[in-house]
Amino acid sequence: MATITGATRVFGILADPIAHVRTPALFNALLEEAGVDGVMVPIHVASNELASLWQGLRAMKSLGGLVVTVPHKSAILDLCDEVGDAARAIGAANVVRRTDDGHMICDMYDGKGFLEGMRAQGRDPAGRSVLLVGAGGAASAIAFALAEAGVESLTIANRTEAKAADLVARLSRHYPDGRFAVGQAVAGGHDIVVNGTALGLRPDDPLPIDLEGAGSDTIVADIIMKPEVTPLLAAARDAGLTTHGGIHMLRAQLRLLAEFVGALPRE
């Protein structure tokens, strides 16, 4: 890591838990490569303490911005002064820029990152049948990106069915010609299945998707980045299926996040 100076611009990532995050290492490598006097640090904060922390972050003049992850992506909207169009439609944000006067502006790039990560690996979801498990912030962002990309159909499965139904309703309003439905977390009948939940962060988590009935050409994707090979991806690999890890989503959006918070100039 480059030397920290009195002029170093500070960036943070908010999460709970936080030991699994890989963003700081990759973000700092990007800054070092660009010759930027900046550093990203992990900020571990529980949901019930987020609001009180926020006032301190506003007052932190050396703070450039924040990346936001589980479980704070939805709660952050009410704390920000300005919400981008994507974040407003999705109902969650994953990045915040702090202006010089403490004004907090947020937006969402998870969906774009996931989509571009898939395409970079030669796995364009356009025209494909997709199952997405989860209806939280990241999953909602991915759902909107998949709809925008022109998937043939999108099925949402979630532990709380009402949240899945709400997401389907929001998708239908924005994309009236799309095919969206609430369904079960079973891979059979889908070309691509995506875990958009936090299941897999802990070794004793149940598998978020039943791989029963998956065809030999089914792509199994996970948004979790650490472990790099989640239990779901390991099970899919053992079944001879194509796997797609969460690191692709992060790498695809990393520069976009750095540009949004002002760490790097916009290209």
Side-chain angles (χ1 to χ4, degrees), residues 71-78 83-94 106-108 135-141 144 163 166-167 170 173-174:
H72 305 308
K73 292 183 180 184
S74 296
I76 216 76
L77 297 187
D78 290 335
V83 178
D85 292 341
R88 190 175 303 281
I90 292 160
N94 76 327
C106 68
D107 215 334
M108 172 57 91
S140 294
F144 273 79
K163 288 189 67 175
D166 176 71
L167 177 53
R170 288 187 284 128
R173 287 195 296 271
H174 281 81

Side-chain angles (χ1 to χ4, degrees), residues 25 63 65 77 90 141 153 159 197:
L63 181 71
L77 297 187
I90 292 160
S153 65
R159 182 176 55 186
T197 77

Side-chain angles (χ1 to χ4, degrees), residues 241-260:
L241 306 176
T242 300
T243 61
H244 182 87
I247 191 64
H248 300 299
M249 180 174 80
L250 174 58
R251 285 178 174 153
Q253 67 175 315
L254 190 62
R255 186 172 188 93
L256 294 174
L257 298 176
E259 289 173 358
F260 185 87

Side-chain angles (χ1 to χ4, degrees), residues 173-255:
R173 287 195 296 271
H174 281 81
Y175 303 95
D177 296 329
R179 292 179 56 194
F180 312 112
V182 176
Q184 300 299 312
V186 180
H190 301 284
D191 302 315
I192 302 172
V193 298
V194 184
N195 174 36
T197 77
L199 289 175
L201 282 176
R202 300 174 179 83
D204 58 346
D205 283 342
L207 290 183
I209 300 172
D210 182 350
L211 297 177
E212 182 71 27
S216 59
D217 57 351
T218 300
I219 298 171
V220 180
D222 205 325
I223 68 168
I224 290 174
M225 298 165 200
K226 188 177 180 181
E228 187 169 340
V229 179
T230 63
L232 174 65
L233 296 183
R237 185 178 57 190
D238 291 346
L241 306 176
T242 300
T243 61
H244 182 87
I247 191 64
H248 300 299
M249 180 174 80
L250 174 58
R251 285 178 174 153
Q253 67 175 315
L254 190 62
R255 186 172 188 93

